[in-house]
């Protein structure tokens, strides 16, 4: 199973000087370029962090749905990353900002969790035949990240299948922030050398992680040096447990 994790920054490009420009920028052309790149990787599962669910930036096209069609991955699961009753869900653009999982294999069960704390709260859980996937985008505040990791640890403990936990962890203090989570869950991280993933044009921070249960075998890990977003993509080849 080839798993690709990519924070695509809503396809707004690698960097912009003013944040408000991200809200106004048309993204459909650049999104096509990102989609072509991911299609060429021939993934079985794609985790998209910061994806647009159909705002005017994309001419009201749903990025996860469009990428699912282009890559030949028949199942896509998208959720807005803010809390279910939050104020931002009432505003244009923000109400379409979320994360998504695209999968080739059959989805047995899906569930949306929401962290108790944080600005970005969504956790997408998908149960596949081989494993259970969790996709996250953690807080920029360290104390909130600690709380979120503890809650994520509980989600993992409640699953019966091997797990893959992936996303933008915003580990601004370094990968040691994950030490307690990895020890508690017994999981490994695919980027074992802690190669930096951000910013894409001059990587110096390890913000993006793919963690996996020891019952899964990691056959290959690559970090393509592309600047289609401000993050680098992570490409993981896991042994297919159904083979």
């Amino acid at each position: 199973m080839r798993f690709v994790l990519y924070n695509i920054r809503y396809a707004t490009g690698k960097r912009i000087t003013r944040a408000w420009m991200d809200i106004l920028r048309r993204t459909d052309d650049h999104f096509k370029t990102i989609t072509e790149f991911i299609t060429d990787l021939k993934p079985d599962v794609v985790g998209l962090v910061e994806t647009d669910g159909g705002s005017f930036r994309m001419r009201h096209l749903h990025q996860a749905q469009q990428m699912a069609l282009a890559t030949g991955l028949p199942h896509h699961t998208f959720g807005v990353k803010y809390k279910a009753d939050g104020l931002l869900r009432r505003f244009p653009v923000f109400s379409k900002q979320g994360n998504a999982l695209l999968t080739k294999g059959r989805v047995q069960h899906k569930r949306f969790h929401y962290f108790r704390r944080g600005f970005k709260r969504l956790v997408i859980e998908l149960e596949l035949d081989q494993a259970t996937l969790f996709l996250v985008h953690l807080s920029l505040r360290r104390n909130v990240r600690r709380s979120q990791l503890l809650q994520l640890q509980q989600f993992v403990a409640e699953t019966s299948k091997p797990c893959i936990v992936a996303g933008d962890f915003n580990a601004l203090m370094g990968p040691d922030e994950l030490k307690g989570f990895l020890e508690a869950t017994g999981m490994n991280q695919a980027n074992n050398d802690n190669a930096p993933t951000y910013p894409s044009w001059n990587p110096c921070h390890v913000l993006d992680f793919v963690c996996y249960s020891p019952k899964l075998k990691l056959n290959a890990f690559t970090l393509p040096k592309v600047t289609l977003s401000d993050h680098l993509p992570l490409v993981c080849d896991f042994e297919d447990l159904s083979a």
Side-chain angles (χ1 to χ4, degrees):
M1 179 179 70
R2 170 161 286 185
F3 178 81
V4 175
L5 170 70
Y6 204 179
N7 181 329
I8 64 170
R9 202 182 188 220
Y10 310 109
T12 56
K14 67 176 185 179
R15 57 175 167 173
I16 300 174
T17 54
R18 297 183 186 276
W20 59 265
M21 293 178 66
D22 283 355
I23 297 175
L24 300 177
R25 171 168 294 203
R26 296 287 187 184
T27 59
D28 48 326
D29 286 341
H30 188 59
F31 178 72
K32 292 177 184 176
T33 304
I34 293 174
T35 299
E36 289 169 359
F37 165 74
I38 292 179
T39 301
D40 288 343
L41 293 173
K42 296 180 171 57
D44 298 294
V45 181
V46 178
L48 296 177
V49 178
E50 295 193 349
T51 183
D52 192 315
S55 76
F56 76 90
R57 293 182 299 190
M58 270 294 293
R59 304 186 191 277
H60 305 290
L61 295 174
H62 196 297
Q63 287 182 343
Q65 183 181 59
Q66 294 299 306
M67 188 176 290
L69 291 171
T71 56
L73 300 176
H75 306 288
H76 70 276
T77 301
F78 169 87
V80 175
K81 62 185 180 180
Y82 310 113
K83 63 179 181 178
D85 57 348
L87 183 63
L88 286 176
R89 285 181 176 254
R90 304 175 190 175
F91 285 88
V93 180
F94 290 99
S95 64
K96 302 295 184 181
Q97 292 188 159
N99 305 321
L101 280 164
L102 286 57
T103 62
K104 180 183 291 184
R106 178 173 62 99
V107 175
Q108 294 189 358
H109 178 74
K110 69 178 178 181
R111 185 177 179 187
F112 295 135
H113 305 274
Y114 294 92
F115 290 125
R116 288 184 290 270
R117 300 180 63 193
F119 185 62
K120 303 178 289 289
R121 299 198 182 193
L122 175 67
V123 182
I124 300 178
E125 176 185 352
L126 286 190
E127 182 185 349
L128 306 181
D129 291 337
Q130 307 99 320
T132 297
L133 311 176
F134 292 93
L135 184 69
V136 300
H137 190 185
L138 301 189
S139 175
L140 288 168
R141 295 161 53 196
R142 189 179 183 187
N143 64 324
V144 176
R145 288 197 300 275
R146 288 198 192 105
S147 172
Q148 291 177 337
L149 283 169
L150 286 173
Q151 196 172 352
L152 188 57
Q153 179 181 316
Q154 295 173 353
F155 296 153
V156 171
E158 293 170 359
T159 63
S160 57
K161 290 184 177 179
C163 291
I164 295 173
V165 179
D168 179 353
F169 282 64
N170 276 319
L172 299 173
M173 305 305 293
D176 281 349
E177 283 195 37
L178 270 70
K179 185 176 180 181
F181 172 77
L182 294 173
E183 288 178 350
T185 60
M187 303 183 86
N188 304 309
Q189 65 151 317
N191 184 8
N192 196 46
D193 295 329
N194 290 320
T197 65
Y198 177 90
S200 60
W201 57 92
N202 185 27
C204 55
H205 298 287
V206 190
L207 299 187
D208 307 274
F209 292 86
V210 176
C211 307
Y212 63 97
S213 298
K215 292 182 179 180
L216 297 173
K217 180 182 178 183
L218 180 68
N219 290 329
F221 171 80
T222 55
L223 201 62
K225 301 302 189 289
V226 294
T227 56
L228 300 175
S229 171
D230 57 341
H231 290 248
L232 294 177
L234 286 69
V235 182
C236 306
D237 289 339
F238 292 104
E239 184 173 328
D240 189 345
L241 298 182
S242 66

